[in-house]
Amino acid sequence: MSVLCILPIQAQEEKQTVKVGYWENYGITINEHGSFYGYGYEYIMDIADINNWNIEFVNCDWDEGLQLLKTGEIDLFGMLQKTAERELIYAYPDENFGYEYGAIYINENNKNIYFDDPISLNGKIVGTVFNNAHLPELEAYSKEYNIEFKYEYYEDSSLLQSALDQGEIDLLFAGSINDVPRAKVVLYLQREPIYYATSIQNKAILDGLNIAQNVLKEESIYYAADMQHKYYNEASISLEAFTRQEREYIEKLNQEGALKVTFHNNWKPFDSLNPKTGEYEGISVDVTSKISEISGLEFDYVVVDDNVTLSEISSNPEFDIVGGMIDSKMMQEKYQLLASDSFFETPFVFVGKRGTKYLEGTSLKVAVPENSYGAGFHIASDYPDYEVVMYKDALACLKAVAKGQVNHAVLNSYAADEHLKERQFNNLAIILSMRGKLPISLGVKSNDLLLLSILDKSIKAIDEEELKEIINVHTIGIPYKPSFSEIVQQNVILIATIIFMFGVFFVVALYLLKRDKERELNKIAYYDPLTKNINFVRFKQKCEKALADKSNPKLTMLSIDIDKFKYISDSLGYAFGDKLLILLSDEIKRNLQEDEFYARENADKFIILTKTIDRKEIERHCEEFVVRFDQLCRSLDSHIKVILSIGFYNIDIEDEKLDAIIDKAHFARKSIKNNHKSSYARFDQAMYNRINNEKEIENIMDTALESHQFEVYLQPKFSVQGQRIVGAESLARWNHPLKGVIEPSEFIPIFEKNGFITNLDYNIFEQTCIMIKHWMDRNIQPVPISVNLSRRHVSNMNMPKELYTICQKYGVSSKYLELEITESTFVEGDTNVIIELMNELHKLGFSISMDDFGTGVSSLTQLKELPIDILKLDKTFLGQDENYRERVIFINLVKMAKDMGIRTIAEGVETKEQYWILQDAGCDMVQGYLFGKPTSIEEFEAKFVTNQKHQN
Ligand code: C2E
Ligand code: CA
Ligand code: CA
């Protein structure tokens, strides 16, 4: 028995370590997560797999790498071209690792150098690294075309890159393997084979390279070509700059006016007209505007009615580009339309009555929307059994199926998914996915090849991430494709037959390969590596589904975050921060029930969809959750107290947008004030409205001021004795183009808070000056006008000068202007500063009134210190009913003010009784509804100014 024990356990063969030198961004690049990728990386790793090598990557620059390889400090370096000189020092494998050509790049914004245009290259500064093996080719090129370059040499590729970015060099010369971001190619030189090489003495490595390359070649003769495609198809090496001819054409087209692009009324998600906003939207629309940005071409969008046929569009010289077209031979032959590169591929699906199968046979009809230009041709040629019947749009197609007028409808899967959610189509379902996907492009008339090439180059130049984002925006929430299981379920027999026909192995193998790829892609796209849970994108998709399912009971959205998480992870380390997030994530997961899900939205912010809706119950859950989480955190052995904030929103509005729902959960969470302990809050609609309103006002206030939406209203002031008009107060009104006149109580407090009030005050002051000037121009004797000054001005010692400058600008004497400063300003501010400010105002000739006196806590004795001219007694003094006490105080106030040489005005006078009281008290002036409400300047002039002129 003991024999067993000494048998070697299938020894893990000792791996040989191979050192590979790499020059960053040359075939091997490090992404933002710190992992390697790239053509060279994948190639080397495949070779290592076959040889069972353990690879150690060594970072070095180009010269250094060549040196290290020579001395044997590294085993492999690349990718190198063969030169007679190098072959003396290095050993090359039999097969090359692909090809490389020298290429000249320009900054993507450079418009003065053209593709394949030696003249525009002449005399330009070329940057290159030392030892660029392609240099002799470039020299040969410059000789051939009789042009000259000025060379600048750089130590490494990042310096070279920044020289191009900064404009220190016009041209960057590099091998095509190099990653050159933010650049376009203007010249390709001849291509040369390239190799990973080892040193002459290193026989074992050389053998390993040769063997592995043979294996790879046997597996697929296209190995290198596929890799080339995978890594360089999207890279800047394939982004060609415009030629001179193309640039001139762009200019010519723009001079003739914008190109007309036709979009559909309703072809979601590609292009449609939003009836609410009147804007065109969709993937094709966004792509077109991106093209405009890249090429400088100007476009005009026109919507064609769904019943305008393609032949009308293609033969009409008014239209230049067909937005959103699906290419086919018919398109070229019948309509003389050429398709640009496609920017999106859409799956098409067959929709039929639920429970029916995809039918084959004669006299079957499929409905195809007229507006999916070109899809019909594909169906006609790929499914010859069917008679294609055109309907107006997707909706009409589905109705035709429901009514039994056709057997199936063929729609793009996004449109199908969207419409099938509607109740009226309850008994319809996707029954088959069409073979392959159809590419969406822009259509160009076939005599306009130059425009086609401009569009192609521009589409290629759209950043991949940006394109993904565009597609996401218009398709998210709409499942990417019909669920495989749904199709399988309904088509078992059919699928089995197809599989049989096409050869079982072939299909299965292809399917598995594709599925793995898709899974991998899905994993990246929908997965949060830290919490090992779905990510926010996936979360939103799942929510959309759950919300659309009307059989669902009501749901609740919760938002959780950790207070001062950034501080915690900064001070205790990111590893600790990560631990905390994982702990929180796991604890959330543990508390979920079936069909509930969550995701980490970003950093420490988690979002959860639950089925619990009862407020009490949710609050109890929250309570328990924070207690439990606190205990867990203690076990992490840190001294930090972790505080959670949780907000929740009971989703109760039907068809509310998901983003709004999430936003409300966050809002509820943020409504929790820092109270140093974990807590939770329910969404408060009133508070939400208030804050949204505030935000909205803040968003538009600048434009409102610029576009003169704030107007001056005037309220007259009368002398108590003679009942003569003696002045007026300027009051702001916001005349909003949509909302009409907005009262100050809605915006002044917000402006006070954010400081914008000072801008408004200056504006009202200036408008008031303009008005007075206008009166003087018309020989009207002005009355003094008072303007309100917010407390926010008090800190600005230049304010008096600035006001004075405005007066001077219009030639208006400052004696016509009075400044109202509210009582509380004096109480809150530094009295000395305020007095200095007031003295300054006085010096410049303005008079000052203390507004709203009586609402604050200042006393008359304090008034003595303040250089004010007028006391404005607040409307609360006069009260509604006859309050004897108030009246006594009022009378005394007026009297004492008089003793101090201060004039008095009572505001908010609404009744004759009130007027009699202040007449008795000896008050100087009155302002109030009894005498006149605030009115527009015109109305004020009509009522008071002209009268006064008569009187004079
Ligand atoms: P305020 O300075 O005390 O202005 C007087 C307010 O009382 C005005 O309200 C006026 O319409 C109102 N009022 C006048 N007579 C009567 C009356 O007999 N009965 C009643 N119940 N109210 C009367 P408005 O125009 O809504 O202005 C409200 C406040 O907004 C102003 O109170 C002022 O504090 C502020 N405000 C208005 N325009 C400006 C401005 O341009 N700058 C600054 N800083 N504040 C302004
Ligand atoms: Ca006032
Ligand atoms: Ca007032």
Side-chain angles (χ1 to χ4, degrees):
M1 289 309 283
S2 61
V3 183
L4 260 183
C5 303
I6 53 164
L7 264 178
I9 306 164
Q10 177 71 83
Q12 186 83 48
E13 199 185 316
E14 188 67 14
K15 277 195 173 187
Q16 183 192 355
T17 294
V18 173
K19 290 188 180 167
V20 178
Y22 71 97
W23 182 44
E24 217 178 312
N25 293 338
Y26 191 68
I28 297 181
T29 304
I30 300 178
N31 70 12
E32 70 260 39
H33 308 297
S35 15
F36 289 105
Y37 74 96
Y39 184 89
Y41 176 72
E42 191 173 335
Y43 215 133
I44 286 291
M45 292 316 277
D46 282 347
I47 285 178
D49 254 2
I50 294 167
N51 285 301
N52 202 19
W53 286 343
N54 180 26
I55 301 286
E56 189 182 301
F57 287 99
V58 180
N59 183 290
C60 48
D61 61 32
W62 189 243
D63 270 348
E64 196 186 356
L66 290 173
Q67 193 56 34
L68 291 175
L69 188 64
K70 195 162 143 188
T71 56
E73 279 164 88
I74 55 177
D75 302 300
L76 285 173
F77 189 60
M79 304 194 218
L80 298 183
Q81 287 163 318
K82 258 188 202 171
T83 60
E85 210 179 316
R86 281 179 184 168
E87 273 186 292
L88 295 175
I89 315 169
Y90 308 117
Y92 289 79
D94 302 337
E95 290 287 332
N96 60 318
F97 276 71
Y99 292 91
E100 188 186 51
Y101 29 84
I104 288 193
Y105 297 85
I106 53 170
N107 186 307
E108 61 184 356
N109 301 319
N110 187 335
K111 295 208 168 79
N112 303 320
I113 299 175
Y114 311 106
F115 183 78
D116 211 3
D117 189 72
I119 296 169
S120 68
L121 296 177
N122 192 17
K124 295 289 186 288
I125 306 174
V126 187
T128 168
V129 292
F130 291 105
N131 239 326
N132 184 337
H134 298 285
L135 272 171
E137 292 161 49
L138 187 61
E139 272 151 25
Y141 175 87
S142 67
K143 250 199 212 117
E144 187 182 344
Y145 288 94
N146 198 16
I147 57 173
E148 267 180 54
F149 292 116
K150 295 185 192 119
Y151 288 96
E152 287 285 343
Y153 295 92
Y154 291 83
E155 288 272 315
D156 66 51
S157 48
S158 62
L159 291 176
L160 182 58
Q161 178 72 42
S162 80
L164 185 70
D165 289 340
Q166 307 293 323
E168 282 166 30
I169 51 174
D170 305 305
L171 308 169
L172 186 156
F173 184 48
S176 59
I177 299 286
N178 277 78
D179 187 20
V180 185
R182 301 175 292 281
K184 292 215 169 116
V185 175
V186 287
L187 182 69
Y188 297 117
L189 295 172
Q190 210 179 330
R191 68 175 202 165
E192 301 266 352
I194 44 166
Y195 301 82
Y196 263 94
T198 180
S199 56
I200 278 285
Q201 318 81 349
N202 218 334
K203 180 95 180 45
I205 299 281
L206 186 64
D207 285 347
L209 285 180
N210 279 328
I211 291 166
Q213 282 192 304
N214 272 329
V215 172
L216 291 174
K217 204 168 156 189
E218 252 164 48
E219 280 176 7
S220 161
I221 48 166
Y222 300 116
Y223 178 85
D226 285 348
M227 288 265 289
Q228 190 91 26
H229 185 81
K230 175 171 170 188
Y231 285 102
Y232 297 111
N233 195 36
E234 307 289 342
S236 41
I237 187 64
S238 63
L239 299 182
E240 290 174 12
F242 291 121
T243 62
R244 186 184 291 267
Q245 203 190 5
E246 284 162 350
R247 278 257 168 248
E248 285 168 0
Y249 193 52
I250 292 172
E251 247 164 57
K252 175 174 163 279
L253 288 175
N254 285 346
Q255 269 164 15
E256 289 168 1
L259 290 172
K260 291 246 179 343
V261 186
T262 64
F263 285 133
H264 305 82
N265 240 325
N266 177 16
W267 194 33
K268 282 183 185 167
F270 309 113
D271 39 86
S272 57
L273 183 66
N274 183 333
K276 280 197 200 120
T277 59
E279 305 261 334
Y280 308 98
E281 44 186 45
I283 297 171
S284 305
V285 183
D286 287 354
V287 165
T288 312
S289 64
K290 211 68 231 167
I291 292 174
S292 169
E293 232 172 73
I294 290 167
S295 62
L297 273 178
E298 287 158 20
F299 297 117
D300 241 359
Y301 302 151
V302 272
V303 154
V304 287
D305 248 4
D306 290 337
N307 55 17
V308 175
T309 62
L310 204 52
S311 65
E312 284 170 66
I313 295 179
S314 59
S315 61
N316 188 337
E318 272 288 293
F319 302 131
D320 303 294
I321 292 174
V322 177
M325 128 175 174
I326 296 170
D327 193 20
S328 70
K329 229 169 135 192
M330 280 287 261
M331 279 288 182
Q332 294 169 21
E333 284 170 3
K334 193 163 167 200
Y335 298 117
Q336 309 288 310
L337 283 176
L338 293 179
S340 72
D341 276 356
S342 79
F343 39 84
F344 185 65
E345 292 199 321
T346 177
F348 270 75
V349 293
F350 283 79
V351 177
K353 289 217 171 112
R354 205 175 273 284
T356 60
K357 301 219 163 70
Y358 163 79
L359 299 168
E360 264 174 314
T362 44
S363 73
L364 294 171
K365 289 182 182 171
V366 283
V368 177
E370 228 156 40
N371 59 12
S372 46
Y373 295 145
F377 300 138
H378 280 268
I379 294 151
S381 76
D382 291 2
Y383 300 83
D385 286 344
Y386 281 109
E387 181 191 337
V388 174
V389 191
M390 294 289 187
Y391 283 85
K392 185 166 164 280
D393 53 18
L395 209 63
C397 289
L398 290 173
K399 283 185 178 157
V401 180
K403 282 190 199 145
Q405 292 166 340
V406 292
N407 301 86
H408 303 305
V410 179
L411 304 175
N412 81 64
S413 71
Y414 302 95
D417 272 316
E418 204 178 64
H419 289 303
L420 289 179
K421 280 182 205 152
E422 294 170 24
R423 199 162 284 145
Q424 56 166 326
F425 299 127
N426 257 349
N427 61 344
L428 300 188
I430 292 170
I431 57 166
L432 186 73
S433 196
M434 207 171 126
R435 297 191 274 275
K437 293 178 181 173
L438 298 182
I440 307 289
S441 334
L442 300 178
V444 176
K445 297 193 175 156
S446 53
N447 56 5
D448 209 349
L449 290 175
L450 214 44
L451 177 59
L452 187 70
S453 132
I454 293 168
L455 294 183
D456 281 348
K457 283 184 180 177
S458 309
I459 290 173
K460 238 188 173 154
I462 299 177
D463 182 72
E464 218 183 326
E465 287 302 313
E466 257 177 89
L467 187 59
K468 260 191 220 155
E469 181 60 30
I470 289 177
I471 291 169
N472 272 351
V473 164
H474 296 288
T475 58
I476 245 182
I478 309 172
Y480 185 58
K481 51 186 293 192
S483 97
F484 189 69
S485 64
E486 192 176 350
I487 296 167
V488 173
Q489 257 174 28
Q490 303 196 12
N491 300 281
V492 186
I493 301 170
L494 181 78
I495 288 184
T497 333
I498 293 175
I499 289 175
F500 181 69
M501 277 164 39
F502 283 83
V504 177
F505 290 114
F506 178 64
V507 171
V508 169
L510 253 185
Y511 166 69
L512 289 179
L513 206 80
K514 219 178 122 204
R515 191 196 55 185
D516 279 357
K517 263 227 164 91
E518 257 169 33
R519 272 195 191 154
E520 202 179 305
L521 276 175
N522 278 345
K523 210 166 153 188
I524 296 168
Y526 297 139
Y527 176 76
D528 175 19
L530 180 73
T531 59
K532 305 207 169 20
N533 179 46
I534 58 168
N535 67 8
F536 188 54
V537 173
R538 184 75 189 124
F539 173 82
K540 280 172 81 169
Q541 290 180 347
K542 291 182 73 143
C543 284
E544 292 280 13
K545 238 200 178 133
L547 292 170
D549 182 356
K550 299 291 177 218
S551 65
N552 254 342
K554 295 228 144 109
L555 302 164
T556 300
M557 189 71 76
L558 285 107
S559 157
I560 301 191
D561 85 340
I562 299 174
D563 212 29
K564 305 203 177 59
F565 176 75
K566 197 179 161 337
Y567 165 76
I568 297 177
S569 84
D570 280 350
S571 53
L572 294 181
Y574 293 107
F576 181 82
D578 284 354
K579 246 195 227 168
L580 205 57
L581 294 176
I582 293 168
L583 198 68
L584 180 56
S585 167
D586 289 349
E587 189 53 18
I588 295 173
K589 192 183 280 167
R590 214 180 57 77
N591 276 280
L592 291 185
Q593 290 169 24
E594 203 183 325
D595 285 343
E596 297 183 334
F597 36 90
Y598 79 104
R600 185 166 69 109
E601 185 173 336
N602 54 42
D604 59 320
K605 204 157 68 183
F606 287 81
I607 184 103
I608 308 166
L609 190 74
T610 82
K611 294 184 296 186
T612 315
I613 46 163
D614 181 62
R615 177 178 182 170
K616 287 260 153 56
E617 203 179 331
I618 295 172
E619 290 181 347
R620 192 170 45 83
H621 282 321
C622 289
E623 201 110 38
E624 287 166 5
F625 188 88
V626 296
V627 170
R628 167 95 185 114
F629 188 64
D630 189 45
Q631 285 167 354
L632 287 171
C633 287
R634 280 163 211 259
S635 70
L636 278 187
D637 197 32
S638 77
H639 305 294
I640 258 183
K641 181 160 171 54
V642 181
I643 295 169
L644 292 182
S645 303
I646 311 177
F648 64 94
Y649 169 59
N650 295 118
I651 305 166
D652 61 358
I653 303 171
E654 270 211 23
D655 299 328
E656 193 173 14
K657 283 258 169 350
L658 178 61
D659 284 338
I661 294 172
I662 293 175
D663 191 40
K664 285 178 177 179
H666 290 327
F667 181 83
R669 170 176 51 74
K670 284 186 246 168
S671 73
I672 300 170
K673 294 264 157 6
N674 248 343
N675 56 6
H676 308 294
K677 67 179 200 346
S678 293
S679 57
Y680 48 84
R682 184 167 182 257
F683 173 73
D684 175 344
Q685 184 73 47
M687 187 159 139
Y688 184 74
N689 292 348
R690 200 170 60 238
I691 297 211
N692 266 353
N693 181 40
E694 249 177 52
K695 268 196 220 142
E696 195 196 325
I697 285 187
E698 290 189 337
N699 285 341
I700 55 175
M701 61 193 186
D702 284 299
T703 353
L705 191 69
E706 277 161 26
S707 56
H708 313 291
Q709 289 177 23
F710 292 98
E711 284 176 16
V712 165
Y713 267 50
L714 290 175
Q715 186 175 30
K717 298 174 186 169
F718 283 83
S719 72
V720 173
Q721 297 309 329
Q723 291 190 29
R724 220 167 34 89
I725 183 160
V726 289
E729 178 177 5
S730 270
L731 292 158
R733 290 291 179 272
W734 185 344
N735 199 348
H736 191 279
L738 300 175
K739 299 180 183 174
V741 177
I742 309 176
E743 294 296 318
S745 57
E746 284 189 46
F747 58 86
I748 298 280
I750 298 171
F751 293 176
E752 291 259 3
K753 229 195 298 179
N754 63 28
F756 187 69
I757 188 70
T758 52
N759 300 1
L760 178 67
D761 284 351
Y762 279 123
N763 181 276
I764 297 291
F765 184 86
E766 181 158 10
Q767 289 194 51
T768 306
C769 288
I770 293 172
M771 176 187 75
I772 296 174
K773 160 92 169 71
H774 209 66
W775 287 345
M776 296 187 331
D777 288 347
R778 288 185 289 158
N779 263 334
I780 296 167
Q781 171 66 40
V783 285
I785 309 289
S786 62
V787 177
N788 292 287
L789 277 190
S790 156
R791 73 200 70 214
R792 286 283 201 147
H793 294 281
V794 167
S795 51
N796 177 11
M797 295 310 282
N798 285 329
M799 179 264 287
K801 283 250 164 54
E802 284 164 4
L803 293 180
Y804 190 72
T805 312
I806 298 176
C807 287
Q808 281 184 318
K809 180 171 166 195
Y810 297 100
V812 170
S813 162
S814 52
K815 71 177 180 196
Y816 294 128
L817 289 147
E818 176 186 322
L819 302 166
E820 296 196 9
I821 302 173
T822 181
E823 183 201 329
S824 53
T825 311
F826 301 96
V827 183
E828 289 160 11
D830 175 344
T831 323
N832 291 332
V833 174
I834 295 171
I835 292 177
E836 203 184 320
L837 210 63
M838 293 172 83
N839 285 336
E840 186 67 25
L841 284 169
H842 269 154
K843 245 191 257 163
L844 294 170
F846 297 107
S847 46
I848 301 167
S849 63
M850 185 189 267
D851 199 359
D852 304 327
F853 186 80
T855 53
V857 290
S858 51
S859 63
L860 263 186
T861 40
Q862 273 173 303
L863 274 186
K864 271 192 209 142
E865 298 170 27
L866 297 171
I868 57 167
D869 308 290
I870 298 157
L871 191 65
K872 231 179 160 183
L873 297 151
D874 194 71
K875 44 185 163 281
T876 46
F877 267 116
L878 293 168
Q880 279 308 322
D881 41 347
E882 295 173 27
N883 186 329
Y884 180 74
R885 226 181 89 83
E886 298 267 295
R887 200 190 296 178
V888 171
I889 297 176
F890 184 83
I891 292 171
N892 277 321
L893 268 178
V894 173
K895 193 173 161 302
M896 285 166 73
K898 226 178 207 151
D899 290 346
M900 282 185 248
I902 298 174
R903 283 179 297 148
T904 50
I905 176 166
E907 65 176 339
V909 180
E910 290 180 348
T911 63
K912 288 211 175 76
E913 289 74 22
Q914 288 173 333
Y915 172 67
W916 290 328
I917 295 167
L918 49 102
Q919 203 175 25
D920 279 353
C923 190
D924 298 304
M925 295 168 279
V926 285
Q927 179 183 350
Y929 292 172
L930 182 66
F931 299 90
K933 289 195 174 179
T935 60
S936 66
I937 296 178
E938 296 82 63
E939 215 173 305
F940 181 86
E941 286 178 358
K943 261 197 202 141
F944 304 108
V945 178
T946 31
N947 281 349
Q948 199 204 4
K949 216 172 140 193
H950 282 301
Q951 279 166 15
N952 279 351

